[in-house]
Amino acid sequence: MRWLPVLLALLVVACATRLGRDGRSESTVDLKYLAKTEVDRIADTDRAEVVGSLMLIADKLYKRNPKEWKKAGLSSREAALERLRQRRQRSLPELGGLREGQAAALAFSDSYTGDRVAALMFGLLTMVDAAFEYKEEFYILDGLNEMKLFNCARNMEVAVWKLGHDRDPAGELYLLSNAIDGNGRNLSFEREFGRAMGLLDLMAQVVADRNGRGFSRLSQAVVTTIFLPVGLVK
């Protein structure tokens, strides 16, 4: 009987009420929510929002650097974005099987001649996939690791720094992002990266609390220009 209050609470969360065609209210139960906690639902939303932010950044980078998607022999920016969306099903041949930090670092390598936007964003997106244990939905028995989420957030900071500082031998930025022109400073890239970082840091704190582990963003501040491991963290 001790589980009765929990089951009743889950039933309330899983129930949805709507008006039928005859004007009467109808209640339905989505059974999948019986296997979800509040943290699971937060994780679902957090992951979707982070991926959405990164896809928006990818789109903006391709708009500022149209020559990049053409390097891959693609017909359009939309086709380049679709390749990133399909990252779970296939890797990018020009990356030679690399993922996460190793893929992202290629975007700032002198020797790399492929699509730099794809390298960076494929790397960041696969970091997020690893941080969320390659799942799109989370349930009671699913576990997350706060350090994977934390490292993933720090890697967003590394990406922002590299976009603004790393240059080729001719002194040109490898990829154009934020701009300063007659209309002022366009910091939309930094804002979107900041949103993704905030979501990842929030999720790291939530997971640490659920796991009963202390976790301080300030006490674990990391200053680095090297992408931190995510998938390899235990």
Side-chain angles (χ1 to χ4, degrees):
M1 295 297 292
R2 62 178 180 171
W3 292 103
L4 184 57
V6 176
L7 291 173
L8 289 174
L10 287 171
L11 279 169
V12 169
V13 171
C15 288
T17 302
R18 64 179 181 179
L19 289 177
R21 292 183 178 180
D22 59 359
R24 296 180 181 179
S25 61
E26 301 174 344
S27 293
T28 59
V29 176
D30 189 338
L31 294 179
K32 75 176 182 179
Y33 285 107
L34 295 178
K36 282 181 177 287
T37 65
E38 288 295 331
V39 173
D40 296 326
R41 287 190 288 277
I42 291 171
D44 289 349
T45 302
D46 195 278
R47 180 203 163 278
E49 290 293 321
V50 171
V51 170
S53 284
L54 292 183
M55 289 303 302
L56 178 58
I57 291 168
D59 189 32
K60 292 163 71 68
L61 282 173
Y62 275 128
K63 287 178 180 177
R64 291 222 65 199
N65 304 271
K67 67 180 182 180
E68 296 302 324
W69 58 261
K70 295 176 182 178
K71 292 178 181 178
L74 300 172
S75 59
S76 65
R77 186 179 81 252
E78 289 73 21
L81 293 171
E82 186 58 28
R83 280 209 311 167
L84 293 175
R85 293 190 189 96
Q86 297 298 319
R87 65 191 178 281
R88 298 284 192 90
Q89 288 72 43
R90 59 180 183 179
S91 185
L92 305 188
E94 63 265 38
L95 300 181
L98 297 179
R99 304 173 73 82
E100 297 189 39
Q102 290 179 313
L106 288 178
F108 307 100
S109 169
D110 291 342
S111 61
Y112 185 65
T113 59
D115 181 343
R116 294 181 185 275
V117 174
L120 175 62
M121 300 313 299
F122 183 86
L124 294 179
L125 285 162
T126 51
M127 288 175 201
V128 172
D129 292 339
F132 284 94
E133 304 297 344
Y134 307 99
K135 295 183 173 78
E136 295 185 3
E137 282 198 279
F138 299 87
Y139 298 92
I140 289 174
L141 297 180
D142 292 331
L144 292 174
N145 182 310
E146 64 270 20
M147 283 310 301
K148 288 185 178 182
L149 294 158
F150 178 84
N151 283 2
C152 195
R154 304 291 70 75
N155 286 339
M156 303 299 160
E157 292 179 343
V158 173
V160 171
W161 192 91
K162 285 183 168 294
L163 283 169
H165 293 83
D166 280 17
R167 297 174 182 271
D168 64 20
E172 300 294 328
L173 290 169
Y174 285 108
L175 289 171
L176 298 177
S177 54
N178 293 320
I180 301 177
D181 53 31
N183 297 319
R185 299 185 69 189
N186 175 0
L187 300 178
S188 59
F189 286 90
E190 286 189 18
R191 285 195 295 270
E192 203 60 41
F193 269 119
R195 181 172 182 270
M197 280 182 255
L199 288 165
L200 288 164
D201 278 331
L202 171 64
M203 197 68 236
Q205 187 66 64
V206 169
V207 170
D209 289 345
R210 184 173 74 168
N211 292 341
R213 292 194 283 263
F215 189 78
S216 171
R217 167 68 178 87
L218 295 177
S219 67
Q220 299 197 43
V222 174
V223 178
T224 180
T225 59
I226 300 173
F227 291 109
L228 299 172
V230 177
L232 295 178
V233 173
K234 301 297 184 183

